[in-house]
Amino acid sequence: MSFDADKKREHATLAERSMNEGALRKAAFHLAKAGEFALKLAEKCDGKVRQAHLREARELIEVGEELQAKAPRGSARPSAPRAVREAGGDAVRGEEDWLVTEKPNVRLTDIAGMDAVKAKLAEMVIEPLKHPDKAREWGIRAGGGILLFGPPGNGKTTLGKAVAGELEAAFFYATGAEIRSKWHGESEQRLRKLIQTARSRPLSVLFLDDLDGLLPKRGGNSVVDNRIVVQFLAEVGGFEESPNVLLLLGATNKPWDIDEAVFRTGRFDEKIFVDLPDLAAREFMVQRNLGGAPVEAGLDARVLAARLDGYTGSDIVAILQSAKRTGFRRSIGGAANLLTQDDIEQALKTIPSSATPEMMREYKKFAQARFK
């Protein structure tokens, strides 16, 4: 889910940049792609959160269509409306995508807030790998497994990329949906190939997103689930001796649904709770998303950040983007060309927090019971 939220934000940002440059057709394309990823988020949620993602997808695509209508004649139409019509189809990435590696350019210092989480990642992962001689002297093992758990849309994937960026390591990314197959035995083969490919690099980070969907508790009716869990345990049990270093990162919104054996020594030894964004992180997001936009006087970033307490990172971005789209549509209709507090208030009414009080209590209860 974090991947879809990140891609949605990426395309929304590119659309905004293209609009500022007057590239309407390009902006329409990125809005359409952002709409596609909003649809994917909706497929993974229920209730009001699902409706909010669907509403955002419609808004993104509608604005894209309006821009397309204003673009010069002969411009190609964006592809996302087709995705809306075919929302029930296959939307996962292929095997060739998750086997592609990249070296992310994001660093932990680029992430606002989350100081405790970043400090723990640096202590547990980055410093031992940057100082291997000292790590060996103290018997600290390089690599290993870390589970990031917490509410959806709070930058777990970005944290994984930042760790890879700090280490200048190859970065592999996969979700359960990308590894699973309806063909007998193929899911295990994909998982084995992915892990072995990551392990073949001198230094790599393998990020498994939505881990609860990939490694659910065994004992149910799904034979595929049981086989995938067993294959994973066989591949990462103890991390075989090798001159290469593999850091295994997992992310989940539902840690209580993961098979117990996944948490044992040699797999995901360490667990880090990624909480809702703190005030510094929220203020950074407000400034980044409203920076450059025509904003009315008196709209204070810190005051607005305080108002957004209790929202996830992806919620905050969605609220600010929705408010900006309202102001943008008003401006292209010839009305006032300023983002107003009312635009923010309207967005707040239509986009609820993805992290309910009940959900946050579940995380606390789980952490106390499982990782105390």
Side-chain angles (χ1 to χ4, degrees):
M1 187 178 295
S2 300
F3 173 81
D4 295 327
D6 285 346
K7 296 300 289 185
K8 182 191 71 173
R9 287 195 294 271
E10 177 185 329
H11 282 290
T13 300
L14 290 171
E16 183 178 355
R17 187 180 305 162
S18 298
M19 282 189 283
N20 292 336
E21 295 170 352
L24 299 187
R25 185 178 68 160
K26 193 174 180 181
F29 168 79
H30 287 299
L31 284 169
K33 295 299 291 183
E36 281 190 14
F37 284 105
L39 281 173
K40 291 181 182 181
L41 288 168
E43 292 172 359
K44 300 174 181 178
C45 301
D46 299 307
K48 291 182 179 180
V49 176
R50 173 183 171 84
Q51 292 304 313
H53 285 309
L54 288 172
R55 184 163 46 248
E56 183 181 20
R58 286 194 295 269
E59 286 181 2
L60 287 163
I61 293 168
E62 286 172 3
V63 174
E65 289 178 336
E66 290 178 17
L67 289 179
Q68 186 67 31
K70 292 178 178 292
R73 289 183 179 276
S75 297
R77 295 188 64 79
S79 60
R82 178 177 63 83
V84 176
R85 293 192 297 270
E86 300 176 1
D90 182 10
V92 300
R93 299 184 298 158
E95 178 178 332
E96 69 279 0
D97 291 310
W98 50 255
L99 285 177
V100 172
T101 62
E102 62 176 357
K103 290 187 178 180
N105 56 13
V106 63
R107 300 290 187 270
L108 288 175
T109 52
D110 298 326
I111 301 174
M114 294 196 287
D115 292 336
V117 173
K118 291 187 292 186
K120 198 165 187 178
L121 281 171
E123 175 189 334
M124 291 165 50
V125 180
I126 297 168
E127 296 306 328
L129 288 171
K130 283 188 173 181
H131 306 282
D133 293 338
K134 284 291 184 182
R136 280 193 295 270
E137 180 183 343
W138 286 90
I140 303 297
R141 185 187 66 177
I146 296 176
L147 178 70
L148 303 174
F149 70 99
N154 281 319
K156 292 187 286 292
T157 304
T158 304
L159 283 168
K161 288 182 178 180
V163 169
E166 293 281 354
L167 300 173
E168 297 186 353
F171 185 74
F172 292 77
Y173 177 93
T175 67
E178 293 162 335
I179 293 173
R180 287 176 174 275
S181 170
K182 62 183 178 182
W183 305 112
H184 179 79
E186 188 170 321
S187 299
E188 301 96 296
Q189 292 175 15
R190 289 180 177 180
L191 179 61
R192 184 171 185 268
K193 185 176 181 181
L194 173 60
I195 294 173
Q196 291 187 345
T197 303
R199 187 179 279 143
S200 70
R201 301 294 178 112
L203 177 59
S204 63
V205 175
L206 171 55
F207 193 99
L208 297 176
D209 209 351
D210 297 330
L211 199 65
D212 51 285
L214 177 63
L215 304 172
K217 289 182 177 179
R218 287 169 290 176
N221 296 324
S222 174
V223 176
V224 175
D225 285 347
N226 294 341
R227 291 202 310 262
I228 292 177
V229 172
V230 170
Q231 183 68 47
F232 173 82
L233 299 178
E235 290 296 328
V236 301
F239 282 91
E240 63 186 33
E241 289 296 324
S242 169
N244 298 339
V245 176
L246 171 63
L247 172 63
L248 182 65
L249 292 179
T252 179
N253 306 327
K254 301 176 181 178
W256 42 81
D257 287 343
I258 297 173
D259 192 89
E260 289 290 322
V262 173
F263 299 130
R264 292 175 189 160
T265 302
R267 284 119 192 187
F268 289 103
D269 296 296
E270 305 291 348
K271 298 89 180 173
I272 299 177
F273 178 59
V274 182
D275 205 346
L276 298 174
D278 55 25
L279 180 61
R282 297 195 303 271
E283 185 174 4
F284 174 80
M285 283 186 275
V286 171
Q287 292 172 340
R288 184 179 66 178
N289 283 274
L290 296 187
V295 178
E296 71 175 355
L299 196 59
D300 184 83
R302 193 166 186 82
V303 172
L304 180 54
R307 175 78 185 281
L308 293 169
D309 186 20
Y311 285 87
T312 69
S314 58
D315 292 336
I316 292 171
V317 173
I319 289 166
L320 299 174
Q321 290 294 327
S322 178
K324 285 165 62 175
R325 286 194 296 272
T326 299
F328 170 73
R329 297 176 77 167
R330 188 170 57 243
S331 68
I332 62 177
N337 191 38
L338 288 175
L339 177 73
T340 68
Q341 182 66 42
D342 286 342
D343 295 332
I344 301 289
E345 295 300 329
Q346 285 300 118
L348 284 166
K349 290 178 181 178
T350 58
I351 301 177
S353 173
S354 301
T356 63
E358 293 79 10
M359 179 188 297
M360 299 308 293
R361 283 195 291 271
E362 283 296 316
Y363 288 122
K364 184 177 181 179
K365 179 181 176 182
F366 175 78
Q368 289 175 339
R370 185 64 182 76
F371 302 138
K372 190 171 182 180

